[in-house]
Amino acid sequence: MNIWTNIFILGLVLTNFRLLATSRLGAVIQTTVFQAFALSAFMLTMAERPWPLLLLFLALLTLIVKGVILPWLLRKAMRETGVQREIEPIVGYNTSVITGMVLLGLSFMIFIPLKTSVSQESAFLLPAALFTTLTGLMIIISRKNALTQVVGYLVMENGVYAFGAALAVEEPLLVEMGVLLDVFVAVFVMGITVYQISREFDNIDTDRLSELKD
């Protein structure tokens, strides 16, 4: 296996633990940039050289959308709302990291029976992709801040994107470009929604929505 592929897959796993362990929104958003770089990089390291022009374009597009545009939108929303940290998560950070370890072990256990039927690269990438998806889902359900939940959605989509890179056979580039467009639109709309919630209610903790009355 290409050693660089292993490094980028390991980087994807480590960024998930950083997301689970930090309360600072700036660090959370920056970590999604690292994930974007890892996703773009291992797409190239898994492909045979010379790289097709379309693959280079997709890798660059992934880096621009996931690593530049979406983080910029999230940082802008963070500045507009004036929120810097996730104050009171539903699940504490130490508990989140421990749960992440369990999810990582479970992800590898699920794909052990498939190890002989997939390539060596995919044998490691598939558990990492599942772990990334589960990490995003955990962030969505265990955090109260709307911005953090948007990041959770983005991380969950990163896991789906990694699955596509590992398993797509017929027209994988078109599938992944479609996913990129979907997540760009979704995060853009959520960013606008977060700003509007903050302007109306002076807070973006989603648990406060349960206190709304006629």
Side-chain angles (χ1 to χ4, degrees), residues 98-114:
I98 294 173
T99 304
M101 293 178 182
V102 174
L103 293 176
L104 179 60
L106 181 63
S107 299
F108 274 94
M109 289 178 61
I110 289 174
F111 284 102
I112 285 177
L114 301 177

Side-chain angles (χ1 to χ4, degrees), residues 125-137:
L125 178 55
L126 289 175
L130 178 59
F131 177 49
T132 303
T133 304
L134 294 175
T135 297
L137 182 61

